[in-house]
C-alpha cells in the first residue's frame, strides 16, 4: 500500500484500528488534498472535551451496578455538537471521540449548522429490562445535563438506543430544567416533537447514495443486485427502498447470519430489527450464508449497514462488489480502504451515505425550535434535496481532481470547517 509505515500496516488489521485512529488517519490523508492551515488540522485532531460520567443503576432485583458513560464533543465551529448516544459494551472515550470526529465531517459535508459529538454507555442493552433501560437513561441524562442542551449539544439515537430512549432523555432533562425542551435531543417519537421520517432517514440516504452511485457508473437500478449487511434501521430501510426502486436485493443479514436468494428477496416481508430482533434467519430463502460470506458476494452494490470494521485488510481482496456504500459508521478500515482504492472499487463513505439521519435530525431540531411539525412528504423532499446537493458537491471533487469518494467528501467537509475557523479566528 505504501501509504504509511506504521506497525498496523505491516500486520494489516490483525486488530482493526479504533475509530479514533482511523478518523485521525483519514483526516491526515485528507489534509494533503486541501489547502488548509496546518494549525486547523492540528486543532481538528483533538476533541474540545470528552465528558466521562458514572451512571449508577438499581437493577430490578434491587442490586446496584455502576456503568460508565461518555460524551465526546469534537468541534462546534459551525454550530452545536450533534451526534448519537450508543449503548454497547465496547463504548469507550476513544471510540466516542473517533465517532464524534466523523459527525463533524458528516454535518459539514451536508452543510448543516452543527458540529460533531458522540457518546454512550458501556453496557449491553440486551442484558437490561425495559425498566432498567429507562432508569439508566434518565440518570445518564441527569449526569450529562450540564454539557447538553438545544443550543450546545444535541444527542440522537445510535447503536442500541432508539426513539423511546430519546423520549426518556428529553423527559428527564426537561423535568430538571422546569420546562419542556424537545430540542435537547432528536430522533424522538413524533408525538413529543420528533420528526416524521427520522427513523427511516439514514437508510433513505444510503439508498439515494447507492442509486446515484449506480447512475454515476452508467448502470440501471433495475439491473442492479444488492447485498445488505445488517437489518436494523439503516440496512432494512435502505434494502426496502432499493427494492421499491427496482433493484434486486439478493442478500440481507443480522448478527446471526444472512439469507441469500439470487432471484431477489422480498425485503418488506422480512422483519426489521425493531419489528422482531434477529429474525432474518427464520425467513424462507434458498440459501443461508455467514456475514463474512455476504460481504464477498458477487453483487453490484455491497451495503454494510451493521457495525464498524467489517471490511478489513483480511477480506478487502475478496470483495467482489463493484460499489461499496457505507451504511454503518466506519465499516471499512483504513488499510482496507487502500486495498479497495487500488482495486478501483469505489467506496461511498458513511459521512455522505448515512448522513440522512443527522439531516432529518436537523429538520427535527428546526421543527422543535419553531414548535411546528412538517409533513412526511416535506421531510422526504428536503432530505432528497440535501443529499443530492451534497452528492453533487462531492462528485465535483471526484470528477475534477480524481479523488476517492471518501477523500472528496473530506475535502468538501474540511474546506467548510476551515473557512469557518479562519473567519472566526483563534481565541484569544
Ligand atoms: N447516530 C446517527 C449518526 O451516526 C445520527 C446522529 C444525529 O442524528 O444526530 O449519524
Amino acid at each position: 500500500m505504501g501509504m504509511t509505515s506504521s506497525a498496523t500496516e505491516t500486520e494489516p488489521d490483525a486488530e482493526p484500528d479504533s475509530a479514533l485512529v482511523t478518523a485521525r488517519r483519514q483526516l491526515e490523508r485528507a489534509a494533503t488534498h486541501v489547502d488548509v492551515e496546518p494549525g486547523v488540522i492540528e486543532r481538528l485532531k483533538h476533541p474540545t472535551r470528552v465528558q466521562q460520567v458514572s451512571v449508577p443503576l438499581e437493577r430490578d432485583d434491587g442490586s446496584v451496578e455502576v456503568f460508565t458513560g461518555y460524551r465526546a464533543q469534537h468541534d462546534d465551529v459551525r454550530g452545536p455538537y450533534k451526534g448519537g448516544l450508543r449503548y454497547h459494551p465496547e463504548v469507550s472515550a476513544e471510540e466516542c471521540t473517533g465517532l464524534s470526529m466523523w459527525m463533524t465531517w458528516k454535518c459539514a459535508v451536508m452543510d448543516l449548522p452543527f458540529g460533531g459529538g458522540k457518546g454512550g454507555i458501556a453496557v449491553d442493552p440486551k442484558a437490561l429490562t425495559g425498566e432498567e433501560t429507562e432508569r439508566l437513561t434518565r440518570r445518564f441524562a441527569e449526569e450529562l445535563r450540564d454539557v447538553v442542551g438545544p443550543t450546545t449539544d444535541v444527542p440522537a439515537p445510535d447503536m442500541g438506543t432508539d426513539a423511546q430512549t430519546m423520549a426518556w432523555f428529553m423527559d428527564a432533562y426537561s423535568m430538571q430544567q422546569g420546562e419542556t425542551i424537545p430540542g435537547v435531543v432528536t430522533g424522538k417519537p413524533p408525538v413529543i416533537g420528533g420528526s416524521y421520517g427520522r427513523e427511516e432517514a439514514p437508510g433513505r440516504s444510503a439508498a439515494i447514495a447507492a442509486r446515484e452511485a449506480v447512475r454515476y457508473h452508467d448502470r440501471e437500478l433495475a439491473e442492479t443486485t444488492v447485498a445488505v449487511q445488517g437489518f436494523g434501521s439503516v440496512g432494512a430501510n435502505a434494502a426496502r427502498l432499493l427494492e421499491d426502486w427496482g433493484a434486486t436485493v439478493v442478500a440481507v443479514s443480522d448478527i446471526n447470519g444472512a439469507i441469500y436468494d439470487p432471484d431477489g428477496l422480498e425485503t418488506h416481508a422480512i422483519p426489521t430489527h425493531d419489528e422482531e430482533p434477529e429474525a432474518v434467519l427464520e425467513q424462507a430463502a434458498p440459501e443461508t450464508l455467514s456475514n463474512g460470506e455476504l460481504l464477498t458476494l458477487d453483487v453490484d452494490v455491497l451495503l454494510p449497514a451493521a457495525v464498524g470494521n467489517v471490511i478489513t485488510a483480511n477480506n478487502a481482496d475478496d470483495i467482489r462488489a463493484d460499489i461499496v456504500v457505507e451504511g454503518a459508521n466506519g465499516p471499512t478500515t483504513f488499510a482496507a480502504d487502500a486495498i479497495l482504492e487500488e482495486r478501483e472499487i469505489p467506496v461511498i463513505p458513511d459521512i455522505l451515505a448515512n448522513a440522512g439521519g443527522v439531516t432529518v435530525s436537523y429538520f427535527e431540531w428546526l421543527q422543535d425550535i419553531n414548535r411546528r411539525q412538517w409533513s412526511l412528504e416535506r421531510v422526504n423532499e428536503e432530505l432528497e434535496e440535501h443529499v443530492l446537493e451534497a452528492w453533487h458537491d462531492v462528485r465535483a471533487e471526484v470528477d475534477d481532481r480524481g479523488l476517492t469518494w471518501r477523500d472528496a467528501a473530506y475535502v468538501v467537509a474540511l474546506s467548510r470547517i476551515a473557512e469557518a475557523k479562519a473567519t472566526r479566528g483563534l481565541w484569544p
Side-chain angles (χ1 to χ4, degrees), residues 260-283:
Y260 174 60
D261 184 344
D263 295 327
L265 297 161
E266 277 183 38
T267 56
H268 288 272
I270 305 166
T272 68
H273 183 79
D274 265 2
E275 290 160 0
E276 194 188 332
E278 301 182 21
V280 167
L281 287 188
E282 287 159 27
Q283 311 307 308

Side-chain angles (χ1 to χ4, degrees), residues 205-211 213-214 227 238 242 300-305 311 321 323-328 331-332 346-350 352-354 391:
S205 65
I208 296 171
R211 184 192 72 201
V214 165
L242 286 167
D300 298 301
V301 175
L302 173 64
L303 212 155
I311 304 180
I323 301 168
V324 176
V325 178
E326 294 186 329
T332 313
V347 179
I348 312 302
D350 44 9
L352 176 62
N354 72 24
W391 174 269

Side-chain angles (χ1 to χ4, degrees), residues 53 103 119 124 130 162-163 168 171 193 258 277 285 288 297-298 314 316 338 362 382 386 395 408 425:
V53 295
M103 286 309 303
D124 177 5
D162 58 18
W168 291 324
D171 183 65
T288 58
L297 280 174
D298 187 3
N314 300 326
Y362 169 54
E382 296 218 12
H386 263 74
R395 196 200 57 193

Side-chain angles (χ1 to χ4, degrees), residues 136-173:
L136 187 74
T137 302
R138 289 182 179 281
R139 182 60 186 250
F140 190 33
E142 174 56 16
E143 297 301 335
L144 290 186
R145 191 150 62 91
D146 288 344
V147 298
V148 298
T151 56
T152 48
D153 184 351
V154 186
D158 202 274
M159 271 165 61
T161 58
D162 58 18
Q164 181 60 65
T165 324
M166 294 304 114
W168 291 324
F169 194 107
M170 177 278 226
D171 183 65
Y173 180 85

Side-chain angles (χ1 to χ4, degrees), residues 19-20 23-24 45-47 49-50 71-74 92-103 118:
L20 179 57
R24 284 204 174 124
K45 284 184 197 163
H46 305 275
R49 70 178 70 80
V50 184
R71 184 67 181 171
Q73 299 177 328
H74 174 244
S92 66
E94 182 162 337
E95 188 196 60
C96 291
T97 307
L99 292 164
S100 71
M101 290 172 75
W102 284 329
M103 286 309 303
K118 188 75 100 184

Side-chain angles (χ1 to χ4, degrees), residues 2 4 9 17 44 87 92 97 156 199 220 235 257 270 304 359 380 383 422:
T4 65
E9 223 114 18
D17 294 324
L44 289 172
Y87 290 176
S92 66
T97 307
E199 180 95 19
E220 297 285 328
I270 305 166
T359 303
N380 284 342
L383 174 60

